[in-house]
């Protein structure tokens, strides 16, 4: 049996029926990582011994009959999530060698569920980027075409799941960093609503936006993962006490009567023709399943990019002030503390992180705060109100996740604005704090995956997962494997 | 309007970043083009719009003001470049 071809849900079923062991699944994934990761660079660190030890414990737990749906399933974590004692770099030189003294809340939850952690995945430095090229440890490649980017910033997690090097993965989404790489790699990526998942132990980037999300090959796989990591945590003051639904229980509910909104601002001329065609065809499938589609308007969409690139860098400049060579990470030698700070940060941060820290420092500085930061927060109110109004008339919004399929490595790396535009359709939902999901809805002329983005009101993850699941039941796209990784 | 080199230097100083000469020039262009783009925000009439403080329903999160277990000191010092007598050690702050 080719174990890697199983979805997370299928692998879990075989584990619980005793047909396979967690050790066998873990060994299969570790072998694939060893064979493929040198070229793909999806993983920054692999923890084979710890993974096999967790697998043995999981097998014992399954035999004892105390298993949860994730027990024994090998998964990967974006390297911005703290795991006690394991290297956690955030894709940055400034955290080289850092080993956190504690586990993130999501790691605690995964551990108590008995999940097997294979290792940590590559990302744009501090989750800032849309291509994973901003990693200090080299770019990750797209499994569908190794000359192209996997998207970002959670590119390592998306590529690992697409290439079948892990059955699922965790990422983070501040402006699209789960949904956009999911689209470019042809997997399902769920960005939960702001407040759904605890960020305790997540290295912070933009604190009013950051949210931990999940990757799977199917919506059902994503449902298992989110169900495990969601929920209230007093250690994250923004985590909401809203009960966690049984996400899998509603997946099979049909779509009759579902109202789908198509925002006219997202179906515009700048979108790659294959992408529009793929998304339109997907909407037809939803209609054939009983949904009704209508046009809606989100009039402030064209302001989202500017708004985001003031607010997120402002928050980043404050959050990244803690990296000063004192408590963690390498330190540059200097005669005074202030020079030590400047040199450590000058040498430790890469170009995009420096750009964003400077943008943020500027937007918050005396004389510019009102014009940039405060104005951006006011426009954010308008963007959120657009969604509130649209969701009076529709249950979900459907649109492209990304205006294009995967672009070439190097194509946009020195043109920040062009790179920022890769997230133009994911930024508005992030600013509004709502739930978002990307599901593969076909391939372009070059065989590259196209992403359908589904957006729903805050705390409607189960609705998005259900729509994506019903779509996948009616289509075959998610069964395609990247040719170079099918064996 | 493009930033001046002096402004870029000032921002780098605020952000405590030591930048090479060519980085300053490069960032000057790139930051100027992003700020030019973001200038579109100024044209929006927001006189009656409150800023977003949080996307969450407003609530006050409180906990009991009681000491709770914390991480051991050695674990927190273990990642530091330098420590002494149970404290983080830094280069001189004053000349």
């Amino acid at each position: 049996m080719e174990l890697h071809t199983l979805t997370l849900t299928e692998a879990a079923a075989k584990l619980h029926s005793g047909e396979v062991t967690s050790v066998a699944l873990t060994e299969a994934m570790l072998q694939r990582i060893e064979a493929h990761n040198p070229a793909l660079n999806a993983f920054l660190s692999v923890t084979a011994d710890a993974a096999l030890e967790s697998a043995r414990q999981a097998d014992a737990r399954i035999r004892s009959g105390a298993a949860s749906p994730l027990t024994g399933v090998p998964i990967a974590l974006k390297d911005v999530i703290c795991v006690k004692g394991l290297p956690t770099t955030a894709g940055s030189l400034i955290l080289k060698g850092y080993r956190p003294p504690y586990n993130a809340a999501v790691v605690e939850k995964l551990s108590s569920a008995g999940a097997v952690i294979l290792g940590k995945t590559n990302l744009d430095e501090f989750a800032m980027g849309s291509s994973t090229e901003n990693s200090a440890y080299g770019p990750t490649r797209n499994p569908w075409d190794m000359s192209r980017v996997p998207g970002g910033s959670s590119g390592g997690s998306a590529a690992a799941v697409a290439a079948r090097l892990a059955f699922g993965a965790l990422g983070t989404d501040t402006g699209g960093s789960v949904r956009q790489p999911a689209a470019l790699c042809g997997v399902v990526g769920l960005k939960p609503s702001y407040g759904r998942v605890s960020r305790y132990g997540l290295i912070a980037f933009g604190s009013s936006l950051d949210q931990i999300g999940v990757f799977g090959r199917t919506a059902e796989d994503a449902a298992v993962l989110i169900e495990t990591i969601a929920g209230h945590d007093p250690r994250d003051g923004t985590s909401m006490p809203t009960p966690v639904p049984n996400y899998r229980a509603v997946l099979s509910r049909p779509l009759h009567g579902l109202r789908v909104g198509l925002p006219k601002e997202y179906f515009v001329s700048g979108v790659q023709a294959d992408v529009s065609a793929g998304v339109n065809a997907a909407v037809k499938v939803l209609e054939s399943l009983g949904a009704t589609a209508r046009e809606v308007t989100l009039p402030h969409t064209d302001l989202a990019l500017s708004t985001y690139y003031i607010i997120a860098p402002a928050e980043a400049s404050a959050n990244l002030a803690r990296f000063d060579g004192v408590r963690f990470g390498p330190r540059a030698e200097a005669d005074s503390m202030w020079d030590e700070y400047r040199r450590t940060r000058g040498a430790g941060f890469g170009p995009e992180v420096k750009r964003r820290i400077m943008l943020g420092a500027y937007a918050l500085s005396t004389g510019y705060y009102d014009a940039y930061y405060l104005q951006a927060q006011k426009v954010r109110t308008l963007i959120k109100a657009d969604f509130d109004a649209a969701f009076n008339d529709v249950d979900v919004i459907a649109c492209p996740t990304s205006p294009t399929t995967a672009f070439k490595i190097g194509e946009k790396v020195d043109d920040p604005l062009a790179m920022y535009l890769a997230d133009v359709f994911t930024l508005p939902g992030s600013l509004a704090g709502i739930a978002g999901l990307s599901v593969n809805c076909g391939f372009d002329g070059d065989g590259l995956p196209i992403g359908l983005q589904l957006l729903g009101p805050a705390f409607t993850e189960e609705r998005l997962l259900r729509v994506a699941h019903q779509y996948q039941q009616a289509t075959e796209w998610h069964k395609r494997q990247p040719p170079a990784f099918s064996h | 309007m493009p930033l001046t080199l002096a402004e870029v230097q000032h921002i780098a100083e605020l952000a405590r970043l030591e930048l090479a000469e060519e980085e300053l020039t490069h960032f000057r262009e790139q930051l100027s083009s992003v700020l030019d783009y973001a200038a579109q925000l100024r044209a929006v009439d927001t006189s009656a719009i409150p800023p977003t403080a949080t996307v969450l329903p407003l609530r006050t999160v409180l906990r009991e003001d009681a000491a709770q277990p914390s991480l051991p000191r050695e674990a927190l010092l273990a990642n530091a470049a330098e420590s002494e007598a149970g404290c983080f050690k830094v280069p001189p702050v004053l000349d």
Side-chain angles (χ1 to χ4, degrees):
Chain A
M1 181 169 43
E2 295 261 39
L3 293 178
H4 68 271
T5 62
L6 301 172
T7 66
L8 183 153
T9 309
E10 290 164 352
K14 288 192 190 296
L15 274 172
H16 298 140
S17 69
E19 222 176 305
V20 293
T21 63
S22 176
V23 168
L25 287 176
T26 304
E27 280 173 345
M29 287 295 130
L30 290 171
Q31 278 164 17
R32 286 183 66 76
I33 293 169
E34 202 180 322
H36 293 294
N37 199 56
L40 197 63
N41 199 27
F43 281 85
L44 291 179
S45 57
V46 179
T47 46
D49 292 343
L52 286 167
E53 180 50 35
S54 307
R56 280 189 285 271
Q57 288 172 12
D59 284 332
R61 180 167 162 183
I62 291 166
R63 281 194 300 274
S64 78
S68 81
L70 261 189
T71 306
V73 178
I75 59 167
L77 301 180
K78 185 179 185 180
D79 201 19
V80 73
I81 296 167
C82 289
V83 181
K84 187 177 176 177
L86 296 191
T88 300
T89 67
S92 181
L93 293 176
I94 213 162
L95 276 177
K96 196 168 188 178
Y98 173 61
R99 288 171 187 264
Y102 69 106
N103 281 323
V106 292
V107 173
E108 291 173 350
K109 284 179 179 258
L110 289 170
S111 298
S112 36
V116 173
I117 294 168
L118 294 164
K120 309 291 288 292
T121 57
N122 202 3
L123 67 153
D124 287 298
E125 185 176 359
F126 286 103
M128 298 178 195
S130 312
S131 70
T132 316
E133 291 167 288
N134 295 335
S135 169
Y137 305 98
T140 296
R141 291 171 184 275
N142 190 310
W144 296 92
D145 177 345
M146 300 288 270
S147 70
R148 291 174 190 271
V149 303
S153 66
S154 313
S157 287
V161 172
R164 279 77 169 145
L165 307 188
F167 289 101
L170 263 51
T172 60
D173 192 314
T174 303
S177 282
V178 164
R179 289 160 287 162
Q180 185 258 13
L184 271 48
C185 288
V187 297
V188 172
L190 172 69
K191 181 206 92 86
S193 315
Y194 188 76
R196 183 69 286 184
V197 178
S198 169
R199 290 101 46 92
Y200 176 78
L202 167 67
I203 296 174
F205 157 21
S207 299
S208 79
L209 298 154
D210 292 342
Q211 192 57 201
I212 297 175
V214 301
F215 292 95
R217 275 162 44 206
T218 66
E220 200 175 8
D221 293 357
V224 175
L225 288 165
I226 187 64
E227 205 168 297
T228 308
I229 65 165
H232 181 241
D233 176 8
R235 296 167 299 182
D236 175 357
T238 65
S239 108
M240 293 294 283
T242 315
V244 179
N246 181 343
Y247 293 105
R248 284 167 302 148
V250 298
L251 291 177
S252 55
R253 201 180 297 162
L255 300 187
H256 291 290
L258 182 88
R259 300 168 302 166
V260 179
L262 309 174
K264 64 177 184 192
E265 293 81 4
Y266 288 59
F267 292 85
V268 288
S269 58
V271 180
Q272 187 183 322
D274 286 341
V275 170
S276 304
V279 169
N280 286 327
V283 173
K284 291 272 177 285
V285 172
L286 298 182
E287 287 179 315
S288 75
L289 296 172
T292 55
R294 74 176 78 167
E295 188 179 275
V296 293
T297 178
L298 301 166
H300 297 93
T301 297
D302 66 334
L303 298 170
L305 187 94
S306 294
T307 304
Y308 179 86
Y309 278 98
I310 297 300
I311 293 172
E315 295 179 1
S317 75
N319 273 324
L320 272 62
R322 63 170 63 91
F323 300 102
D324 55 14
V326 174
R327 286 160 298 166
F328 23 66
R331 169 190 287 187
E333 288 306 316
D335 293 334
S336 78
M337 188 180 73
W338 304 111
D339 279 341
E340 183 269 291
Y341 281 6
R342 278 189 284 266
R343 283 185 200 162
T344 297
R345 291 164 63 79
F349 291 134
E352 180 61 18
V353 173
K354 288 179 184 169
R355 273 194 289 272
R356 296 213 197 174
I357 289 174
M358 291 175 74
L359 257 181
Y362 181 75
L364 292 174
S365 66
T366 314
Y368 299 99
Y369 179 90
D370 285 2
Y372 286 104
Y373 184 72
L374 193 64
Q375 177 68 354
Q377 291 289 23
K378 289 177 177 174
V379 177
R380 183 178 187 175
T381 303
L382 295 170
I383 291 167
K384 186 172 185 295
D386 282 356
F387 283 104
D388 291 343
F391 288 130
N392 281 332
D393 296 327
V394 296
D395 303 308
V396 297
I397 284 171
C399 57
T401 308
S402 162
T404 67
T405 54
F407 45 93
K408 291 274 188 187
I409 290 175
E411 195 179 318
K412 301 181 183 185
V413 76
D414 209 32
D415 185 351
L417 262 181
M419 187 69 89
Y420 297 170
L421 281 164
D423 286 333
V424 67
F425 293 151
T426 49
L427 297 172
S430 292
L431 289 165
I434 60 176
L437 177 149
S438 182
V439 56
N440 182 17
C441 67
F443 293 82
D444 74 1
D446 293 323
L448 301 168
I450 298 165
L452 165 71
Q453 180 175 224
L454 300 168
L455 297 168
F459 292 86
T460 59
E461 287 77 14
E462 74 273 27
R463 191 184 298 169
L464 305 185
L465 289 164
R466 174 167 70 100
V467 177
H469 176 72
Q470 291 297 318
Y471 175 76
Q472 289 188 317
Q473 296 306 108
T475 53
E476 300 279 319
W477 304 117
H478 59 288
K479 294 183 179 163
R480 271 204 213 175
Q481 299 185 52
F485 294 89
S486 52
H487 298 292
Chain B
M1 207 174 59
L3 295 168
T4 64
L5 210 54
E7 284 176 305
V8 180
Q9 263 159 343
H10 173 65
I11 305 167
E13 187 52 37
L14 289 176
R16 306 264 181 258
L17 289 168
E18 183 178 80
L19 298 181
E21 210 56 50
E22 61 271 23
E23 281 184 297
L24 284 170
T25 325
H26 206 48
F27 287 153
R28 181 185 167 206
E29 281 171 38
Q30 292 177 328
L31 295 178
S32 296
S33 82
V34 176
L35 289 170
D36 275 351
Y37 187 89
Q40 67 165 182
L41 294 179
R42 299 198 200 187
V44 186
D45 178 7
T46 54
S47 48
I49 309 298
T52 296
T54 171
V55 296
L56 298 173
L58 281 178
R59 71 200 167 106
T60 304
V61 181
L62 299 172
R63 67 169 171 81
E64 211 182 321
D65 186 17
Q68 291 178 15
S70 59
L71 291 166
R73 181 182 289 220
E74 314 78 67
L76 292 170
L77 290 171
N79 280 293
E82 242 186 315
S83 66
E84 193 178 303
C87 299
F88 295 107
K89 195 175 173 187
V90 295
V93 180
L94 300 169
D95 288 329

